[in-house]
Amino acid sequence: MSADRTTLRDTRAAYPRLVPLTTRWGDNDVYGHVNNVVYYAFFDTAVNGILVEAGALDIARSPVIGLVVETGCRYFAPVAFPDRITAGVRVAHLGRTSVRYEIAIFRDDAAEAAAQGHFVHVYVDRATRRPVPLPERLRAVLAELAAVRREAP
């Protein structure tokens, strides 16, 4: 749970893309809920799934790949196996070589997020690991995810 209870919990409407995900038995920790580190795997799975599905990323062969350079998450309510979850995905900032994704995890049919987080990808040449401009196809997919903005406080 977040120490700052004043943080606005987003609703599903704040995200242009909703991705169903599955909790697994092994996601639960000894306290009986999904361990905090698993949320980062949910984030990665949702974003990369969208990019692969849209043809903007080929995990094995794309000449440009995204490396995570920053990440964070706030937790509001527990999630546990066998909950159904949905990840809301949006782009908060689209730069020349980087993108900031914002992701929320919604439990079952809940309207408000159980957790909200972000990560920043810097896109680099696969071989040299040097930043490169976002490819046209990737930029187009990311622009669609920037269509809905954060709800006002």
Side-chain angles (χ1 to χ4, degrees), residues 12-152:
R12 293 169 189 260
Y15 295 86
R17 188 70 186 270
L18 298 173
V19 179
L21 297 174
T22 304
T23 57
R24 303 164 305 163
W25 173 251
D27 294 337
N28 285 356
D29 62 18
V30 297
Y31 302 114
H33 63 262
V34 170
N35 188 271
N36 60 304
V37 300
V38 176
Y39 287 79
Y40 293 101
F42 293 154
F43 295 172
D44 245 354
T45 299
V47 167
N48 286 306
I50 290 168
L51 299 180
V52 167
E53 179 184 293
L57 173 66
D58 179 326
I59 303 262
R61 291 183 291 279
S62 288
V64 174
I65 58 173
L67 300 181
V68 175
V69 297
E70 177 185 323
T71 189
C73 187
R74 293 193 149 204
Y75 307 92
F76 303 106
V79 170
F81 176 83
D83 291 337
R84 292 175 293 107
I85 59 171
T86 301
V89 179
R90 67 181 173 218
V91 166
H93 175 76
L94 185 55
R96 189 177 76 79
T97 63
S98 66
V99 60
R100 177 186 167 103
Y101 299 97
E102 292 180 342
I103 304 100
I105 301 298
F106 299 94
R107 180 179 177 257
D108 295 326
D109 296 322
E112 290 187 321
Q116 291 170 204
H118 75 276
F119 68 89
V120 176
H121 264 161
V122 170
Y123 283 86
V124 300
D125 178 271
R126 181 185 292 271
T128 68
R129 298 294 204 244
R130 301 297 308 154
V132 295
L134 300 171
E136 219 173 283
R137 177 70 188 138
L138 177 60
R139 182 170 288 284
V141 171
L142 297 175
E144 290 176 14
L145 295 174
V148 175
R149 293 290 175 208
R150 172 166 284 183
E151 298 169 346

